[in-house]
Amino acid sequence: MGKLIVSLSPHAHGNDSVEKNMYGVVIALIPTFAASLYFFGIGSAIVLFVCVSACVFFEWIISKFILKQERCTIKDGSAILTGMLLGFNLPSNLPVWIIIIGALVAIGIGKMTFGGLGNNPFNPALVGRCFLLVSFPAQMTSWPVIGQLDRYLDATTGATPLSIMKQAIKSGDANILGQLPDSFSLLLGNHTSQLADGSIMGAGTTGEICALALLTGMAYMLWKKIITWHIPVSIIVTVFAFSGLLHITNPIYANPLDVIITGGLMLGAIFMATDYVTSPMTHKGQIIYGIGIGFLTVIIRNWGSYPEGMSFAILIMNGFTPLINTYVKPKRFGENVKKSANAK
């Protein structure tokens, strides 16, 4: 008979597991995957396949031959999810060798260096993405025009909606924003607007193209209770409010609805910032965390060097997560708070 281990109460039991939640997020990403294939075609398929394959391979080889772990961790779905999220943060015309470097950095540095799943302080996919953005800025900011389903490295590229918003701020000319598609088109991912120079608008990364697909995934995860509303809603509301104030103050800043449905904001708020390991534990802490991400995103987008700021904002707030957890501690079970004798 095995040894019975008895621990102090409280005892809790649930049906959740790492595998269930990881594959649940993968299922929630199916609409986004379908949208990326619809708009980008073979380029999106290549980027996502290479990302997922490379992430799984690097996690297997590092855990088996470098860390010499007895249990193989590639079956829990976390490497697959990291590969998908990294792929959704890349342009659909990125060369394979750069994708493999990004996967190695995401798994090797962002995850396994700290001991694997549950120990990484920063979101691994974003570590890989930001490394590539800094190391290969030209390739990482080349955005294919949608509809080139059979083209990969030779795809025609163009400026994204975020680039146009940035151009309006730098030039001080609000008329530049007139080149943006209407909000409904942006929601659906229909970035086919013709720009002033005669070119067609680029569409951004493979995963940020269709905000409606991302919102569908969010609805699924809320329904399955994989995530709660606190982080994504606090990010979106903060960005909307901050951008709205800027827009009212000066029309060179885009209207807040266009701001929240363009770029990687929805992808980051729904699928990246909600990572269990790198986000706060309590609901109050998650709201603080979300407000911080939203505030930083608007600052970086409007006044930083890059048109997009979501990835950097999440990584910065990942670093603040331990402090937030220290400041906003969960209630202890069985704690008896003694009132002062002078309390009325």
Side-chain angles (χ1 to χ4, degrees), residues 7 38 71 76 78 104 111-112 147 156 160 170-171 177 214 289 299 326:
S7 60
Y38 176 79
R71 180 177 174 269
D76 62 18
S78 61
L104 176 60
K111 183 178 181 183
M112 303 307 289
T156 303
T160 63
K170 287 183 176 181
S171 65
L177 296 174
L214 294 165
Y289 172 79
I299 289 177
T326 301

Side-chain angles (χ1 to χ4, degrees), residues 91-307:
S92 63
N93 63 342
L94 196 65
V96 168
W97 64 274
I98 296 181
I99 300 172
I100 293 174
I101 292 174
L104 176 60
V105 171
I107 296 297
I109 298 177
K111 183 178 181 183
M112 303 307 289
T113 293
F114 299 97
L117 182 65
N119 300 302
N120 50 288
F122 302 100
N123 186 289
L126 289 181
V127 171
R129 196 251 178 172
C130 289
F131 176 87
L132 293 183
L133 189 60
V134 173
S135 303
F136 308 99
Q139 294 90 334
M140 284 290 292
T141 54
S142 174
W143 311 114
V145 174
I146 63 174
Q148 304 174 90
L149 304 184
D150 59 347
R151 303 181 71 178
Y152 173 38
L153 297 177
D154 59 342
T156 303
T157 60
T160 63
L162 287 183
S163 300
I164 294 171
M165 293 178 186
K166 193 81 167 184
Q167 186 181 353
I169 296 171
K170 287 183 176 181
S171 65
D173 184 5
N175 294 323
I176 294 176
L177 296 174
Q179 300 177 81
L180 292 172
D182 61 88
S183 299
F184 185 71
S185 296
L186 290 173
L187 179 68
L188 298 179
N190 185 21
H191 298 187
T192 56
S193 178
Q194 188 170 14
L195 304 180
D197 60 2
S199 63
I200 303 298
M201 182 179 294
T205 68
T206 61
E208 69 183 37
I209 180 65
C210 182
L212 183 61
L214 294 165
L215 289 170
T216 303
M218 176 181 171
Y220 174 82
M221 290 195 293
L222 290 173
W223 173 49
K224 288 293 186 179
K225 297 182 179 179
I226 297 173
I227 64 171
T228 62
W229 62 266
H230 302 83
I231 292 175
V233 171
S234 60
I235 292 174
I236 293 170
V237 169
T238 300
V239 172
F240 186 89
F242 193 3
S243 299
L245 288 174
L246 292 174
H247 180 67
I248 293 171
T249 304
N250 194 330
I252 64 171
Y253 299 102
N255 77 74
L257 180 58
D258 289 348
V259 171
I260 64 174
I261 59 178
T262 53
L265 192 138
M266 286 292 184
L267 177 63
I270 297 169
F271 291 99
M272 316 290 286
T274 54
D275 176 37
Y276 295 138
V277 181
T278 59
S279 60
M281 295 181 294
T282 64
H283 291 163
K284 182 179 178 181
Q286 289 169 0
I287 292 174
I288 296 171
Y289 172 79
I291 292 172
I293 291 173
F295 187 72
L296 288 171
T297 298
V298 176
I299 289 177
I300 297 171
R301 278 188 174 188
N302 291 328
W303 300 291
S305 299
Y306 292 100

